[in-house]
């Protein structure tokens, strides 16, 4: 079974349906990669309290960082994608995929990382090239490439994530004067019939009198 290599492919469109040129296939797979996740919060003043309260604001973009070696010393076996290519040529081909500005689209490519269980839709965040070995005339023979990518979510999905009233997301609601479970269920789920289920999840004994200032969880609909 052939060894699967990390593949970095460029796409013209945000739906990742139209490839732009050949993908870049690494010579040597990374020994590791970092996959980071983030959440952003807003800080709000809490009446009667000295400390601020962190309120959920949004799910931040994911990111992937990795590095790999490009080698033209002859010490590393070549795969068909980089046979006979110099370090400079391989770097140019990589930059064409992740960094080059294309006049037709007025932006660099959307980038798909594919390796093992990693399938990551992204845009390039940063590219660093550390040249390490050279011929007597200064031509590079080896380089360490470090890349960082920021996750890309298509606008339709991003819209759903940004929609706080979507029934597909979990909501935490702070009860205000006049709120009732049927009213809140109708607001979130567009149907008041789920109030008994919400009451059960939140262990509410008296569903007619909700305590102002308390918080109630409204889970996603199945």
């Amino acid at each position: 079974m052939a060894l699967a290599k990390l593949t970095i492919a460029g796409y013209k469109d945000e739906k990742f349906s139209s490839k732009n040129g050949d993908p870049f296939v690494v010579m040597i797979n990374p020994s590791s990669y970092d996959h980071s996740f983030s959440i952003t919060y807003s800080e709000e003043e809490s009446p009667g309290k000295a400390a601020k309260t962190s309120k959920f604001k949004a799910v931040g973009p994911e990111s992937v960082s990795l590095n790999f070696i490009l080698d033209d010393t002859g010490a590393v076996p070549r795969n068909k994608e980089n046979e006979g290519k110099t370090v400079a040529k391989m770097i140019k081909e990589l930059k064409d995929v992740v960094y080059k500005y294309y006049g037709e689209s007025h932006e660099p490519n959307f980038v798909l990382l594919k390796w093992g269980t990693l399938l990551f839709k992204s845009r390039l965040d940063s590219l660093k090239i550390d040249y390490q070995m050279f011929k007597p005339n200064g031509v590079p023979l080896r380089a360490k490439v470090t890349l960082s990518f920021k996750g890309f979510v298509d606008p339709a999905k991003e819209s759903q994530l940004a929609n706080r009233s979507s029934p597909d997301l979990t909501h935490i609601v702070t009860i205000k004067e006049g709120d009732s479970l049927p009213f809140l269920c109708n607001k979130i789920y567009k149907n008041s019939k789920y109030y008994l289920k919400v009451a059960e999840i939140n262990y509410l004994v008296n569903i007619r009198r909700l305590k102002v200032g308390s918080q109630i969880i409204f889970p996603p609909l199945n």
Side-chain angles (χ1 to χ4, degrees):
M1 184 177 178
L3 177 66
K5 294 293 185 73
L6 168 66
T7 301
I8 305 172
Y11 287 80
K12 297 177 182 179
D13 62 314
E14 60 193 19
K15 293 183 179 179
F16 290 79
S17 62
S18 179
K19 285 187 178 181
N20 191 10
D22 295 327
F24 183 85
V25 182
V26 302
M27 289 183 65
I28 308 170
N29 281 328
S31 58
S32 65
Y33 64 86
D34 295 325
H35 191 171
S36 301
F37 304 80
S38 65
I39 294 176
T40 56
Y41 298 89
S42 60
E43 291 189 343
E44 299 180 5
E45 298 284 352
S46 299
K49 296 182 180 179
K52 293 183 178 180
T53 303
S54 295
K55 297 291 186 181
F56 172 79
K57 186 176 181 182
V59 175
E62 298 176 30
S63 63
V64 166
S65 300
L66 51 86
N67 61 69
F68 53 81
I69 297 294
L70 299 176
D71 187 283
D72 191 26
T73 64
V76 179
R78 301 291 187 112
N79 44 327
K80 63 179 182 179
E81 290 84 4
N82 50 50
E83 186 68 40
K85 295 176 182 177
T86 63
V87 167
K89 174 67 173 173
M90 288 185 281
I91 287 174
K92 180 186 181 304
E93 290 180 351
L94 173 63
K95 290 173 70 177
D96 284 348
V97 173
V98 303
Y99 181 74
K100 182 178 178 180
Y101 176 89
Y102 288 92
E104 181 183 347
S105 59
H106 306 291
E107 60 183 344
N109 280 331
F110 296 86
V111 180
L112 179 66
L113 306 179
K114 187 177 180 181
W115 183 39
T117 59
L118 177 67
L119 189 65
F120 190 67
K121 294 179 178 179
S122 65
R123 308 297 296 269
L124 177 70
D125 191 35
S126 66
L127 165 63
K128 178 184 175 184
I129 303 166
D130 179 15
Y131 295 99
Q132 298 179 337
M133 294 183 66
F134 304 87
K135 290 182 180 180
N137 62 359
V139 173
L141 286 172
R142 179 176 289 174
K144 179 182 178 182
V145 178
T146 303
L147 294 157
S148 180
F149 297 93
K150 192 159 289 186
F152 177 82
V153 180
D154 67 75
K157 181 66 174 175
E158 190 173 29
S159 234
Q160 184 190 38
L161 291 174
N163 183 5
R164 295 274 181 102
S165 65
S166 170
D168 298 322
L169 303 176
T170 295
H171 304 268
I172 301 177
V173 176
T174 301
I175 300 302
K176 303 189 296 292
E177 190 70 45
D179 280 345
S180 68
L181 276 188
F183 169 77
L184 293 171
C185 285
N186 189 62
K187 182 178 179 181
I188 293 170
Y189 302 130
K190 308 303 180 188
N191 196 321
S192 61
K193 71 178 183 180
Y194 296 103
Y195 75 95
L196 288 176
K197 183 176 180 180
V198 172
E200 180 181 356
I201 290 170
N202 288 272
Y203 303 103
L204 297 178
V205 177
N206 190 340
I207 62 174
R208 296 183 182 277
R209 303 183 66 179
L210 302 178
K211 183 179 178 181
V212 175
S214 63
Q215 291 188 321
I216 294 180
I217 297 171
F218 292 79
L221 293 175
N222 293 327

